[in-house]
Amino acid sequence: KVKPQLEEKEGKTFDVFTAVEFKTQVVAGTNFFIKVHVGNEEFVHLRVFRSLPHEKKPLSLHSYQSSKTKHDDLTFF
C-alpha cells in the first residue's frame, strides 16, 4: 500500500518491492520500520505509520532511507 507513495517521492518505479524484515513501535498508532528489497543489491528502509483503528486513516509513508544494503541494520529513525 505504500509502494506508490515511495515511487512518487523517489520519482521512479520499482519492479521489485519485497519486504524482508520489519520492526514495530507502538505510539498513538503503530510505526512500522520495514527493510524492502527494490532490486539488484539495493534496499530501502521505510517508516510507515498506521493510525488507531477508530481514526480510519490509510497507511502512510512517514519517511524512508534509500541506498541501503542487505546487511544494514534496520533501526528506528
Side-chain angles (χ1 to χ4, degrees), residues 9-76:
K9 289 179 186 244
E10 281 284 289
K12 61 183 177 182
T13 58
F14 297 102
D15 294 330
V16 176
F17 199 81
T18 308
V20 296
E21 181 182 349
F22 78 96
K23 296 180 179 182
T24 60
Q25 176 187 40
V26 177
V27 288
T30 305
N31 282 321
F32 293 91
F33 297 87
I34 308 166
K35 182 185 290 189
V36 179
H37 179 226
V38 293
N40 299 320
E41 296 298 316
E42 189 177 350
F43 290 76
V44 293
H45 292 183
L46 308 179
R47 180 178 171 186
V48 177
F49 180 71
R50 180 177 67 194
S51 62
L52 295 171
H54 71 276
E55 294 178 343
K56 298 181 180 158
K57 293 181 180 176
L59 289 175
S60 63
L61 177 61
H62 186 273
S63 57
Y64 66 97
Q65 298 174 335
S66 55
S67 301
K68 294 292 189 174
T69 69
K70 180 178 183 177
H71 302 290
D72 286 334
D73 287 335
L74 181 61
T75 57
F76 298 117

